[in-house]
Amino acid sequence: MTANIWPRDRTGCEVSGDHMQAELDKVVAALREFYAQETFLFEHDLGERTLTHRLAVHLERQFAGFDVDCDYDRLGARTLNLPHGTIVSTDDHLGKSIYPDIVVHQRAVPNNLLAIEVRKAANHQPLQHDQQKLRALTDPHLWFAYWIGVILTLEKNKVSRSEVYVAGQFDPKLSLWFSHRLKGAALGTG
């Protein structure tokens, strides 16, 4: 395991683990609302894009002062691109775009707080695609990287898998903490 390398805010100060946990608690609260209010989506087996949009609606309520967007294709004023040769493509026509499913950010600043990848439990696409995407999106060497990346695998009544990425790496400690928070909210398998 690697040591935690916390990202820095716009003033250059390191973002603490407590701050990251506070932001992830907002995700848990949004998921609680989402599962309580969006049962129709699961009962009718609607697609990931529908789930993603509705989760984004609930995230907006938790992140005052931030914009919440789906499939956002910018980092600051730049179009979001990754180096060629990765399994993640910037060509959305391939269905493997780098564009995150949901982002929590401030468009004008830019201040990129959170990138979320949503997966249905029945998704048969390789998990590595979403993992590589979040490593890239949280890479501190990337211009205006996201502070936190999260993968959420959604089942009918719970989150069956979650992972947290910070500073371009899977963060096992924060992932375990987040998993326990989901379980404590009766939303995860812990």
Side-chain angles (χ1 to χ4, degrees):
M1 283 191 245
T2 57
N4 286 331
I5 304 168
W6 300 112
R8 297 188 179 277
D9 66 15
R10 298 295 167 238
T11 65
C13 295
E14 207 172 75
V15 178
S16 72
D18 289 343
H19 182 80
M20 299 262 186
Q21 290 173 351
E23 300 304 334
L24 290 170
D25 269 337
K26 294 175 187 176
V27 175
V28 172
L31 283 163
R32 188 178 304 117
E33 289 178 12
F34 170 76
Y35 274 107
Q37 296 177 21
E38 306 295 347
T39 56
F40 181 92
L41 305 179
F42 291 98
E43 289 168 359
H44 293 86
D45 196 27
L46 291 167
E48 279 183 21
R49 288 186 181 189
T50 302
L51 297 176
T52 298
H53 166 71
R54 294 306 304 162
L55 178 56
V57 168
H58 295 283
L59 286 164
E60 281 182 319
R61 296 179 186 137
Q62 298 298 321
F63 289 93
F66 283 88
D67 301 298
V68 178
D69 291 306
C70 294
D71 293 323
Y72 197 74
D73 68 348
R74 299 281 191 266
L75 275 176
R78 295 181 184 179
T79 299
L80 190 55
N81 291 309
L82 285 182
H84 295 289
T86 65
I87 65 170
V88 179
S89 170
T90 54
D91 181 356
D92 198 37
H93 298 291
L94 296 175
K96 304 187 321 180
S97 78
I98 179 59
Y99 314 139
D101 290 336
I102 303 171
V103 294
V104 177
H105 62 154
Q106 293 170 315
R107 292 182 203 120
V109 175
N111 180 16
N112 294 326
L113 176 62
L114 180 63
I116 300 175
E117 286 298 308
V118 175
R119 300 172 60 87
K120 283 180 68 172
N123 184 333
H124 298 293
Q125 295 297 320
L127 180 63
Q128 294 83 357
H129 169 72
D130 290 333
Q131 291 168 326
Q132 184 172 348
K133 188 188 295 191
L134 290 177
R135 279 187 205 100
L137 289 168
T138 61
D139 184 338
H141 300 102
L142 186 67
W143 190 62
F144 294 120
Y146 289 86
W147 292 4
I148 310 167
V150 177
I151 293 175
L152 298 170
T153 302
L154 306 180
E155 288 188 15
K156 186 175 183 177
N157 298 311
K158 66 182 182 222
V159 176
S160 61
R161 179 187 187 104
S162 62
E163 296 179 5
V164 178
Y165 291 78
V166 175
Q169 300 175 36
F170 169 72
D171 189 310
K173 185 177 177 182
L174 204 50
S175 292
L176 182 62
W177 178 89
F178 186 58
S179 176
H180 286 300
R181 295 299 275 197
L182 289 169
K183 185 178 181 183
L187 294 172
T189 57

